[in-house]
Amino acid sequence: MRTANREDLPAIRDLLAASGLPTDDLAEQDLSLFLVQGEGEPLAVVGGLERCGSAALLRSVATAPAHRGRGLARTVVAALEARARSLDLDALYLLTETAADYFQALGYAPLDRADVPGSIRESRQFADLCPDSATVMRKGMGAPDRG
Ligand SMILES: CC(C)(COP(=O)(O)OP(=O)(O)OC[C@H]1O[C@@H](n2cnc3c(N)ncnc32)[C@H](O)[C@@H]1OP(=O)(O)O)[C@@H](O)C(=O)NCCC(=O)NCCS
């Protein structure tokens, strides 16, 4: 697992597109907050954070079909959560159409869009790229009393 760089963009785009996830806003992302495994194409797994004020979107989590079920996504999510804590972020939010049960098992809880902070709602994933039917989920990153 390593930090992504600009040269990984085509392979990241391919893996996300093949996984049914948005790619339109990838070029504008801070790839130092994205993790990948694999050199060049095809990548085995990708996942990233998009900072939005004191929180972040956990986004673009995808494992190539041939590599699923080996804990790669779980490892990426754990590493991104550690990064979020090191950045002192309050919480991670995500949008998913197909993997709500997966993220619930990792400690994410569904919430109403009305309860999502404005900084997250203004992200392109929220504002235009993810369908309204997507489930919004949240996990607090602070000490337990900070939620
Ligand atoms: C969801 C996804 C990232 C999981 O990747 P992975 O590397 O196979 O996940 P892990 O190996 O960490 O976990 C595998 C476990 O999760 C379960 N799981 C996988 N996808 C799931 C889903 N959509 N819903 C519920 N459980 C799921 C598997 O059955 C497996 O369970 P087991 O450990 O009891 O056998 C992968 O299936 C994927 O890329 N899906 C398409 C993209 C997507 O929906 N991303 C999430 C939105 S950002």
Side-chain angles (χ1 to χ4, degrees):
M1 204 78 63
R2 62 179 172 82
T3 303
N5 59 57
R6 305 305 294 179
E7 280 154 28
D8 295 312
L9 262 183
I12 293 173
R13 190 174 281 117
D14 285 353
L15 178 51
L16 295 181
S19 306
L21 299 182
T23 58
D24 283 2
D25 60 345
L26 257 191
E28 66 209 47
Q29 295 306 309
D30 175 2
L31 290 183
S32 74
L33 296 177
F34 276 59
L35 296 173
V36 295
Q37 183 170 304
E39 286 297 333
E41 297 213 36
L43 291 173
V45 66
V46 63
L49 297 179
E50 177 176 346
R51 267 193 94 150
C52 303
S54 62
L57 270 178
L58 173 66
R59 54 166 291 163
S60 304
V61 178
T63 302
H67 298 274
R68 287 185 186 169
R70 299 182 195 163
L72 285 181
R74 187 168 43 236
T75 302
V76 164
V77 170
L80 292 171
E81 290 175 353
R83 189 72 193 277
R85 290 190 174 96
S86 77
L87 293 169
D88 214 17
L89 299 181
D90 301 331
L92 295 183
Y93 293 81
L94 65 85
L95 285 155
T96 183
E97 285 187 88
T98 57
D101 291 349
Y102 179 79
F103 287 107
Q104 191 139 18
L106 297 182
Y108 291 77
L111 83 166
D112 286 344
R113 282 179 182 241
D115 295 330
V116 175
S119 64
I120 295 279
R121 254 186 282 160
E122 283 158 16
S123 67
R124 283 191 63 204
Q125 292 254 322
F126 252 80
D128 25 274
L129 298 179
C130 280
D132 289 347
S133 56
T135 303
V136 186
M137 306 184 84
R138 175 188 186 278
K139 182 173 179 179
M141 287 292 112
D145 61 338
R146 282 169 61 194

